[in-house]
Amino acid sequence: MSAPKKLYIKTYGCQMNVYDSERMAEALGGEGYVPTESAADADMILLNTCHIREKAAEKVYSELGRYKGLKAEKPDLKIGVAGCVAQAEGAEIMRRQPMVDLVVGPQSYHRLPELEARARDGQKALDTDFPEEDKFDHLKARPKARRGPTAFLTVQEGCDKFCAFCVVPYTRGAEVSRPADRILSEARDLVERGVREITLLGQNVNAYHGHERGLAGLIRALAGIDGLARIRFTTSHPNDMDDELIAAHGDCEKLMPYLHLPVQSGSDHILKRMNRQHTRAQYFDIIDRLRKVRPDLHLSGDFIVGFPEETEADFEDTLDLIERVGYGSAFSFKYSTRPGTPAAERAQLDEEVKDARLQRLQALLTRQQRALQDAMVGREVSVLFEKPGRLPGQMVGKSEYLHAVHVAADGLAAGDLRRVRVVESGPNSLKGVLV
Ligand code: 5AD
Ligand code: SF4
């Protein structure tokens, strides 16, 4: 038997890419590939790319440039580009970087074994279609090997919202939901393999319609799986936070009290120009209703500063929204033009203005996050342990609010779910003792 071929995957961007990379590795496992952590050892290098913000394509080209030497030493090395840059750039990638053998868009991963065979044959292989079939049905089933206690599971892809800054509706296409029965069987399989927490993924996950009662229906069905202890989901749009999903946050014990609900801006004028289709008052109303049923809910958000036409007053509205909501964590970005999106055509703000606003926004968010984290000291949380910590005898896991918690105790193992009293708050994590 020939030695297994080695596959090196480098993943950029969001959690959905992390999930896709796992599934691609499994699909290529069927073709005799085993994973490697080192590009230098690989027989195939696959870059799973992200196109959400500026310079994404440039980063990919410069990463590819670094593999030139490897390819010269090892002519049989195959190099592939997957993900949203592959979708957006297509054949242009092969034109600019002829050493690329394979380009595959996110909706065509089930065709990867076929594309790999073509590449191995010395041909160029390209697939950036949006096929009718569900790629996950056609991807090899996940193998039965044991795995860590947390997993991502994609339930929905694509987006129909067309926010004026965003490339996702173009790179990932229209909203498509996977049928609930397939998701349930994949989840059962993950649980058999040792998974205790599943994060449901979708570009617009709360628009999920593969269950007659939407995402809330799917969550309640998943909650019926013995051995599955925790459910999370990300990323959501405020307009799809329906009553059932809000109610689930109050009465579904396995649904964790943490919600990523991006608002992007706190100014009604900017929200309108972003085509977000809701106002700040509507956002506050959703948060109020969520907190009524789950007062300890930790909120997370995404913010864009320096969107075209954003005035100082608009920006202050964003700061004010943040003050009022109180975020447990958040991601913030300077607006960057994405070719093909409506806002890219508008007059742009000065870079210095964007930089200064981003700094002010991040200072506020950091202060807020730190205060909420510090407020955990003295409280009891549940921790799902994931891996050893830096210090001997220590394990680290996540609380229900997604804080990293370090605990030193004998006999703790990955997958244990234990009550912990928080005793200290550090720069990025909490320290606790078993209760
Ligand atoms: N510029 C800056 N940030 C962006 N995002 C999406 N598109 C852009 C852009 N053109 C941010 C949004 C989104 C997150 C995933 O990335 O905040 O929620
Ligand atoms: Fe992009 Fe999210 Fe807006 Fe869809 S809802 S267009 S993914 S920012």
Side-chain angles (χ1 to χ4, degrees):
M1 220 178 87
S2 58
K5 292 171 282 185
K6 291 193 180 143
L7 172 67
Y8 173 74
I9 304 189
K10 182 158 179 166
T11 307
Y12 299 82
C14 66
Q15 291 148 335
M16 192 173 289
N17 271 7
V18 175
Y19 175 80
D20 285 346
S21 290
E22 275 183 29
R23 301 298 308 264
M24 286 194 276
E26 287 165 5
L28 287 171
E31 308 304 306
Y33 281 90
V34 295
T36 172
E37 298 293 311
S38 139
D41 276 353
D43 298 286
M44 158 113 79
I45 294 175
L46 205 51
L47 302 184
N48 191 6
T49 61
C50 169
H51 202 232
I52 194 93
R53 279 174 294 276
E54 217 171 13
K55 300 198 182 106
E58 293 317 309
K59 261 191 238 156
V60 173
Y61 288 117
S62 80
E63 183 72 19
L64 287 169
R66 290 209 243 151
Y67 300 138
K68 258 198 180 130
L70 275 180
K71 184 96 175 179
E73 277 169 36
K74 240 179 160 179
D76 283 344
L77 170 67
K78 298 297 167 200
I79 297 183
V81 180
C84 294
V85 174
Q87 189 66 44
E89 298 266 303
E92 176 64 19
I93 297 177
M94 284 165 173
R95 268 196 293 277
R96 268 189 64 177
Q97 198 50 273
M99 69 180 192
V100 172
D101 303 284
L102 186 161
V103 172
V104 58
Q107 301 315 321
S108 304
Y109 292 155
H110 53 303
R111 298 180 178 163
L112 203 51
E114 214 178 293
L115 295 167
E116 187 271 344
R118 286 227 301 274
R120 197 88 1 253
D121 233 22
Q123 299 169 38
K124 295 278 177 194
L126 170 88
D127 194 333
T128 52
D129 288 350
F130 284 98
E132 286 288 307
E133 71 267 18
D134 176 357
K135 68 180 167 195
F136 295 119
D137 285 352
H138 291 76
L139 272 172
K140 267 199 166 1
R142 286 172 163 248
K144 297 283 177 198
R146 291 286 299 175
R147 48 167 298 155
T150 63
F152 295 128
L153 205 174
T154 293
V155 304
Q156 178 279 341
E157 275 187 271
C159 180
D160 299 339
K161 295 276 191 288
F162 290 92
C163 297
F165 50 82
C166 186
V167 286
V168 166
Y170 310 95
T171 55
R172 291 270 175 168
E175 272 176 18
V176 180
S177 296
R178 298 178 64 198
D181 55 347
R182 308 259 164 71
I183 294 162
L184 285 162
S185 82
E186 197 172 319
R188 279 187 213 103
D189 200 59
L190 287 168
V191 169
E192 268 173 39
R193 293 170 57 201
V195 168
R196 305 205 67 192
E197 171 178 311
I198 291 181
T199 301
L200 306 175
L201 299 180
Q203 263 94 29
N204 207 350
V205 72
N206 58 344
Y208 176 78
H209 56 262
H211 186 283
E212 59 191 7
R213 296 178 64 194
L215 186 66
L218 178 68
I219 289 169
R220 290 186 193 282
L222 285 163
I225 299 178
D226 282 343
L228 179 62
R230 292 174 156 193
I231 302 167
R232 304 179 186 277
F233 62 90
T234 194
T235 288
S236 297
H237 190 286
N239 289 0
D240 294 310
M241 266 338 273
D242 62 22
D243 293 346
E244 288 218 34
L245 193 52
I246 292 175
H249 277 279
D251 61 26
C252 180
E253 271 181 31
K254 291 187 181 182
L255 182 58
M256 291 295 101
Y258 177 99
L259 177 66
H260 184 62
L261 193 64
V263 65
Q264 315 293 355
S265 168
S267 146
D268 277 335
H269 171 65
I270 295 299
L271 287 171
K272 199 170 177 70
R273 297 295 285 144
M274 285 178 164
N275 191 32
R276 291 288 292 180
Q277 316 261 13
H278 64 78
T279 60
R280 64 188 255 132
Q282 284 164 329
Y283 185 77
F284 286 139
D285 177 59
I286 295 164
I287 306 285
D288 285 348
R289 287 193 288 143
L290 281 159
R291 286 200 163 134
K292 212 166 262 159
V293 297
R294 189 77 211 224
D296 62 337
L297 185 74
H298 267 225
L299 279 154
S300 159
D302 289 342
F303 297 92
I304 296 178
V305 301
F307 190 74
E309 299 170 29
E310 185 188 73
T311 62
E312 180 61 23
D314 291 320
F315 174 66
E316 278 168 16
D317 281 348
T318 302
L319 297 179
D320 174 71
L321 177 142
I322 292 170
E323 294 276 14
R324 288 191 196 200
V325 171
Y327 288 90
S329 77
F331 305 89
S332 49
F333 314 98
K334 281 193 292 181
Y335 171 68
S336 67
T337 52
R338 311 307 295 123
T341 58
E345 312 298 322
R346 302 179 192 161
Q348 301 297 318
L349 265 56
D350 287 344
E351 214 50 33
E352 300 84 82
V353 173
K354 291 188 194 175
D355 281 329
R357 286 184 187 164
L358 186 66
Q359 272 189 23
R360 282 167 68 195
L361 185 100
Q362 288 185 336
L364 170 59
L365 287 169
T366 308
R367 234 183 305 129
Q368 218 170 50
Q369 272 166 38
R370 188 61 210 243
L372 280 170
Q373 193 193 292
D374 291 349
M376 298 306 295
V377 175
R379 282 181 57 181
E380 233 184 69
V381 293
S382 85
V383 177
L384 176 60
F385 289 96
E386 292 177 23
K387 56 182 186 214
R390 274 186 307 277
L391 302 176
Q394 209 183 39
M395 286 291 288
V396 56
K398 296 274 167 56
S399 76
E400 54 273 65
Y401 309 106
L402 222 49
H403 288 124
V405 185
H406 288 81
V407 176
D410 289 337
L412 269 183
D416 288 351
L417 186 62
R418 303 287 293 270
R419 299 295 297 171
V420 168
R421 182 175 310 285
V422 178
V423 294
E424 201 182 309
S425 171
N428 299 308
S429 66
L430 298 168
K431 213 183 259 172
V433 292
L434 293 182
V435 176

